[in-house]
Amino acid sequence: MNRSLFWTTFATVFLAEVGDKTQLAAMTATVRSGQIWTVFLAASAALVCATAIGVALGGVLFRYIPEAAIKWAAGCAFIAVGLWVLIKG
């Protein structure tokens, strides 16, 4: 296992997830239910599944689409979602 890649990926995903809607949803579910471990396990399983889909899809996409095109598409998608949130919010 490539330790440098592991820690870079860990740090990137951790920083991206801290304070996002997923974390807020988990906090809300915990407050409403009081079921700390159930919410923790469910949220962890959901993150693992979402990450697995991202890794699998990324592996396929990078075989057929240049990396630069994927970065542009991802950047445009983030901007579009941000604008949508600002306009709808």
Side-chain angles (χ1 to χ4, degrees):
M1 177 170 59
N2 183 328
R3 288 183 185 180
S4 176
L5 176 60
F6 176 89
W7 288 111
T8 300
T9 303
F10 176 88
T12 303
V13 172
F14 180 80
L15 291 174
E17 292 298 322
V18 171
D20 75 346
K21 289 187 287 183
T22 303
Q23 191 175 37
L24 296 174
M27 286 184 214
T28 302
T30 301
V31 168
R32 287 184 180 168
S33 69
Q35 301 291 315
I36 294 170
W37 287 106
T38 301
V39 174
F40 172 76
L41 292 172
S44 297
L47 184 57
V48 167
C49 290
T51 301
I53 291 168
V55 169
L57 186 61
V60 171
L61 286 179
F62 277 103
R63 289 184 190 160
Y64 303 105
I65 301 172
E67 181 180 354
I70 293 173
K71 285 181 179 181
W72 272 94
C76 289
F78 276 109
I79 291 169
V81 169
L83 290 172
W84 178 68
V85 168
L86 288 173
I87 292 168
K88 290 278 277 188

